[in-house]
Amino acid sequence: MKIVFMGTPDFAVGTLEALARAGYEIPLVITQPDRPRGRRHEIMDGPVKATAASLGIPVCQPEKIRKNPEVFERLRDIGPDMIVVAAFGQIIPENILKLPRYGCINVHASLLPAYRGAAPIQHAILDGRDKSGVTIMRMDSGLDTGDMIASREVPITQETTGGSLFDELASVGAQLLVDTIPSIVDGSARYTPQPAESTTAYASMISKEMGHIDWTCPASRIERLVRAMNPWPCAFTEAGGKTLKIWRSHVADDDGSAAAPGEVVIRPDRSGMSVKCGKGMLVPDEVQLAGKRRMPAADFLRGMHDSLRRLG
């Protein structure tokens, strides 16, 4: 069976590798064009492109697949039985959706119909959900609105970060897809239509600005922000005129003072600090001042002057 694969970031790599291990013929991988990466903004191969190269699979990188008739002609010449999509990052036109006989099958990192959109992983943590998961769905012309075929749950705990959930869902999604394909091929798969409306707000793409901490929010919300935005863009605030990233934190009871949100309470021995929030206190555990390494909050405090009174 011939499967064309579409994907771009790290999340999609495991799925491509799983298809290859399962013995499916993969005549083509379609991925986004190379983009500047890293601090030097050098043009580098994306994760899926690099993986395809290591597997000896031809790669196509259209700037806009919807406006590229050459891509459609190439796919028609290949005649794929199925197209598998995992975090591709572009809207696929209807003529391509209808091309393979088993359809375009998407690996989506949420329990649909919740969290349609580009960043379901971070939004599930930010909203305080106790579980996430992966859904295998048959794509249609809507945004993550197609029929659901299979799903698998993954718990979200107080230790779960955006990065750890990303890795777990990538692995679970790859295996679930391989487990599901045979039922699609033999006709035993059950296709469950989604309701017209999602059960949550659209999971919009994450921007760097979303990591900025608003200290008027409850401490519980900020703690979830810290976990959701780890490792990128990382929750951040300002300390002494410099950007301070907060990598790990926990919530503490309010100290009962009349301090304003953002004001800092430093322990007498400088072993840690608490920050007043709109409700409760946030205790940063691991931080990183601009230009410095990540460090425990106690090490950060030892390097700061006594003038540190507030963040933000």
Side-chain angles (χ1 to χ4, degrees):
M1 188 169 82
K2 290 188 290 187
I3 297 179
V4 168
F5 183 79
M6 297 185 182
T8 301
D10 289 316
F11 180 85
V13 167
T15 301
L16 175 57
E17 292 175 333
L19 289 171
R21 284 195 304 270
Y24 291 109
E25 179 185 354
I26 308 173
L28 182 66
V29 164
I30 300 179
T31 188
Q32 295 255 39
D34 300 332
R35 308 291 188 195
R37 299 174 187 274
R39 292 184 177 181
R40 297 183 180 180
H41 299 284
E42 297 176 340
I43 301 295
M44 300 174 62
D45 290 349
V48 164
K49 181 182 179 182
T51 301
S54 71
L55 295 171
I57 303 172
V59 173
C60 176
Q61 295 180 275
E63 189 69 40
K64 293 290 184 181
I65 195 170
R66 296 186 69 166
K67 299 179 180 179
N68 197 319
E70 290 82 7
V71 173
F72 176 75
E73 294 299 326
R74 188 171 181 181
L75 288 171
R76 189 167 62 179
D77 289 342
I78 290 171
D81 298 295
M82 180 183 294
I83 295 176
V84 168
V85 182
F88 176 49
Q90 293 189 31
I91 295 175
I92 300 172
E94 193 163 357
N95 62 342
I96 291 179
L97 293 176
K98 292 180 176 180
L99 186 62
R101 60 172 172 163
Y102 296 119
C104 289
I105 306 302
N106 181 235
V107 182
H108 185 73
S110 82
L111 296 173
L112 292 171
Y115 297 108
R116 297 171 184 165
I121 294 172
Q122 294 91 338
H123 283 279
I125 296 173
L126 193 57
D127 290 348
R129 297 282 171 152
D130 61 3
K131 64 183 177 182
S132 181
V134 176
T135 302
I136 306 299
M137 57 169 284
R138 180 171 58 187
M139 299 178 71
D140 61 15
S141 58
L143 294 174
D144 302 321
T145 57
D147 293 346
M148 301 175 290
I149 307 171
S151 64
R152 192 164 291 167
E153 294 183 359
V154 170
I156 296 176
T157 72
Q158 285 297 312
E159 304 301 320
T160 301
T161 67
S164 68
L165 186 56
F166 180 100
D167 291 343
E168 188 167 8
L169 293 182
S171 177
V172 169
Q175 186 59 54
L176 181 60
L177 174 73
V178 171
D179 292 344
T180 303
I181 287 176
S183 68
I184 296 173
V185 174
D186 68 22
S188 64
R190 297 180 62 183
Y191 297 85
T192 304
Q194 293 190 55
E197 299 296 327
S198 175
T199 55
T200 63
Y202 183 76
S204 59
M205 187 176 297
I206 298 298
S207 66
K208 184 176 180 180
E209 292 70 28
M210 288 178 67
H212 188 267
I213 296 172
D214 177 1
W215 293 107
T216 64
C217 292
S220 58
R221 168 80 177 183
I222 299 173
E223 188 274 336
R224 294 198 302 270
L225 178 76
V226 169
R227 290 189 288 116
M229 300 297 150
N230 179 347
W232 192 90
C234 193
F236 65 92
T237 186
E238 292 75 39
K242 294 184 178 181
T243 298
L244 180 71
K245 293 181 177 180
I246 300 180
W247 288 96
R248 291 188 299 108
S249 64
H250 66 273
V251 175
D253 292 335
D254 202 305
D255 65 355
S257 71
E263 290 193 26
V264 176
V265 178
I266 300 176
R267 295 174 190 164
D269 61 358
R270 302 185 70 81
S271 63
M273 62 179 178
S274 302
V275 187
K276 186 80 169 185
C277 304
K279 180 179 180 182
M281 307 283 287
L282 188 82
V283 180
D285 296 311
E286 185 179 18
V287 300
Q288 183 178 18
L289 194 63
K292 303 292 184 179
R293 61 176 177 81
R294 290 168 61 166
M295 63 185 72
D299 292 350
F300 162 72
L301 289 172
R302 279 193 286 271
M304 291 295 293
H305 297 294
D306 292 335
S307 59
L308 180 65
R309 292 290 180 267
R310 68 174 293 110
L311 299 178

